[in-house]
Amino acid sequence: MATNDVKSAPSDLFHDFSCALGITLTPENAPRTAALLRRAMFDTGRQTGTAKTYYKRQRPFQIDSGPICQPAAEVADSYDYPSGHATAGWTMATLLAQVAPDRATALLAHGRAYGESRVVCGVHNASAVEAARLSASSTLTAMQGEPAFAADLTASKHEVAALLKAAGAAKHDTPACTREAKLVAQRLY
């Protein structure tokens, strides 16, 4: 799961959070939700980037050698604190929890595990993941007062509700989702 979580494009995040949401979610079947995510990820990512530039903390594998689950060249030129991947995952989890509050527990648990994947991969410290959650949460809270964001969030709620209704009894529940739920239930720290 940690190796899979290296991919963080919106389509990858939609796939990764589909089990927790209970339906297959794609940018194509949920364009309003995709637009909301892109906007929010830009804002939360910008805040995380500002902190990374300020703190300039080396990644764990650059201090203590050890295996990592992605090519070092992909992350060697960016900093540890806070985690950009964990910011994206927590942004996704938080937004989807607002969009589908009946699935909030599963979505937020997956968001937590998504961030912890960065520790499992050896590319972030736990404090970088925690800082990412804080940065994403505070930025998203500030965005709540923006009328355009509120309108996008409402549109996304309607879009996802329609997808959930259309799925009915055929919700996204596969052996892969069962395996994922077992992994997400494990606490790393």
Side-chain angles (χ1 to χ4, degrees), residues 76-161:
D77 64 344
S78 67
Y79 298 109
D80 171 54
Y81 184 89
S83 166
H85 273 75
T87 298
W90 196 247
T91 298
M92 181 75 165
T94 302
L95 289 176
L96 288 178
Q98 290 180 43
V99 167
D102 60 317
R103 302 294 302 166
T105 300
L107 290 161
L108 293 172
H110 190 86
R112 175 197 46 79
Y114 187 91
E116 289 174 355
S117 288
R118 306 306 287 163
V119 177
V120 171
C121 280
V123 294
H124 281 294
N125 288 294
S127 61
V129 172
E130 292 298 324
R133 289 183 194 129
L134 179 61
S135 178
S137 294
S138 60
T139 303
L140 288 170
T141 299
M143 293 171 68
Q144 298 293 321
E146 297 176 12
F149 178 81
D152 288 346
L153 186 61
T154 298
S156 177
K157 287 178 183 180
H158 293 303
E159 181 177 71
V160 170

Side-chain angles (χ1 to χ4, degrees), residues 5-154:
D5 289 348
V6 167
K7 300 174 295 191
S8 64
S11 60
D12 297 316
L13 284 168
F14 273 42
H15 176 267
D16 292 343
F17 281 84
S18 286
C19 288
L21 186 58
I23 57 172
T24 300
L25 193 64
T26 67
E28 293 75 28
N29 73 2
R32 301 297 301 265
T33 304
L36 174 69
L37 176 64
R38 277 191 300 276
R39 175 193 161 130
M41 285 181 62
F42 175 81
D43 289 343
T44 59
R46 186 178 62 221
Q47 295 304 316
T48 295
T50 299
K52 276 183 181 280
T53 301
Y54 178 80
Y55 290 107
K56 297 181 180 175
R57 188 167 78 186
Q58 286 186 304
R59 292 177 178 270
F61 72 91
Q62 294 170 318
I63 298 167
D64 297 316
S65 63
I68 61 174
C69 69
Q70 74 184 100
E74 291 180 4
V75 291
D77 64 344
S78 67
Y79 298 109
D80 171 54
Y81 184 89
S83 166
H85 273 75
T87 298
W90 196 247
T91 298
M92 181 75 165
T94 302
L95 289 176
L96 288 178
Q98 290 180 43
V99 167
D102 60 317
R103 302 294 302 166
T105 300
L107 290 161
L108 293 172
H110 190 86
R112 175 197 46 79
Y114 187 91
E116 289 174 355
S117 288
R118 306 306 287 163
V119 177
V120 171
C121 280
V123 294
H124 281 294
N125 288 294
S127 61
V129 172
E130 292 298 324
R133 289 183 194 129
L134 179 61
S135 178
S137 294
S138 60
T139 303
L140 288 170
T141 299
M143 293 171 68
Q144 298 293 321
E146 297 176 12
F149 178 81
D152 288 346
L153 186 61
T154 298

Side-chain angles (χ1 to χ4, degrees), residues 166-184:
K171 290 203 173 25
H172 193 74
D173 189 19
T174 65
C177 289
T178 301
R179 284 190 306 275
E180 177 183 295
K182 288 179 182 175
L183 289 170
V184 168

